Amino acid sequence: AAQSTWGNSMEVPESPMVSDRAGESAFIESIMQSRAQRPWKKIKNTCVFLRLAADSSGERTPTSSSPKQASGHAGTLRSVGQYLHKVFTKVEHEALMRLHIDPLGAFAPQFMGVVEIEGTKYLKMQDVLLSMRSPNIMDVKMGCRTFLEHEASNPKRRTDLLPKARKLLERHPSVRLTPEQEQSGLTKLEYMRLRDTTSSTASLGFRVDGMLPHGQPPCDCLALDHTRDTALRSLRLFLTGASPQQRMSMAQRLRDLRAVLDTSDFFRNSEVVGSSLLFVYDNANPEKAGVWVIDFGKTVAAPHDLLHTVPWTLGNHEDGYLAGLHNLTEMFVQTLDEGHPPTPT
């Protein structure tokens, strides 16, 4: 196959895809192989929302560290009683304080202030899975980039980023580094753009970071989702066990979120980077489902109002959030007319 050099264009050729229905079984098989072969690293704090683990009787019991914790940031989120405590950071605290008095706050877990336990400060928040017995979880990271502007300003080339870059390109053999990058390393901006471009972050404005179906191993979708087709198939896989009511409820929640964003001063004035949408539905209750806005550890006040729809260039602070939400909602609604997706075997 012809190779392309990865440089300033940041373009990654899309993988050839088989026809939609014919390819479903192969796609699901690749997901299952990914589960078996890869350690789970990429749902971040999200799946720690499974703070109630199933015991032998099938009931959910409080735990301080769930055996299903599938986090790449172990130790930053813990369960305390009916709440979640996330390790305090100044950036996220400031974001939550602004969000708390904004209409968008209704779409986020309720923020209940700062607590200190054994010398460590935590952000106390609502556990949105508290009432679910058999939750299914999907983490969707929003926006066209996952790094802040100040992270992209250093022109220094770093050879320590080469192993990480080569690992990313193992899944994209048609893309290669430039000779300069191979010899002198990558700048932080080049590496971060490569990371985002080899997922659907850059092309769709969102990526399915991962999912945790109830009673199954975590699914590392990040290794596969770099095209519209594969992202759509990940959505179908997540919705395998969802009832029609749950699907419609989550689709409506996305529409409602879009409407509220138009009225939100917090959103208009913020650079929303690294934030996720947490999709959940309960196998034990066909009417219970939700979508929540979470993770504000990289959300900072912008120096001017943002559109959230235009491409990012260094200095404009745009994040592409609305473009990603539009694509995600369109693809999610598409699944409503397709019936139940195939069940993995």
Side-chain angles (χ1 to χ4, degrees), residues 104-157:
L104 183 58
F107 286 79
Q110 185 178 359
F111 175 55
M112 300 175 180
V114 179
V115 297
E116 185 169 330
I117 301 175
E118 298 178 351
T120 300
K121 293 171 68 176
Y122 294 92
L123 303 168
K124 181 179 179 181
M125 61 189 70
Q126 172 192 10
D127 179 357
V128 298
L129 297 192
L130 185 64
S131 64
M132 293 193 178
R133 292 182 54 205
S134 304
N136 296 267
I137 301 175
M138 179 173 67
D139 177 298
V140 179
K141 186 177 293 295
M142 301 300 296
C144 65
R145 59 187 169 96
T146 58
F147 54 90
L148 292 170
E149 292 248 340
H150 72 81
E151 296 179 283
S153 60
N154 190 342
K156 180 182 177 180
R157 294 198 171 275

Side-chain angles (χ1 to χ4, degrees), residues 98-110:
R98 293 191 294 125
L99 184 65
H100 182 65
I101 58 174
D102 188 89
L104 183 58
F107 286 79
Q110 185 178 359

Side-chain angles (χ1 to χ4, degrees), residues 190-256:
E190 287 175 339
Y191 171 71
M192 291 186 293
R193 292 192 69 180
L194 174 63
R195 183 187 60 187
D196 288 346
T197 307
T198 51
S199 73
S200 61
T201 290
S203 60
L204 296 177
F206 76 88
R207 75 179 186 220
V208 180
D209 246 13
M211 63 183 76
L212 188 61
H214 180 72
Q216 298 186 40
C219 171
D220 185 1
C221 302
L222 181 57
L224 299 169
D225 284 345
H226 66 284
T227 69
R228 183 182 180 88
D229 286 340
T230 51
L232 182 58
R233 289 174 180 180
S234 285
L235 294 180
R236 292 180 184 137
L237 183 62
F238 169 68
L239 293 169
T240 296
S243 69
Q245 297 96 317
Q246 287 169 328
R247 292 182 180 204
M248 293 180 66
S249 175
M250 288 184 281
Q252 186 59 49
R253 181 80 164 170
L254 290 175
R255 297 187 188 100
D256 293 343

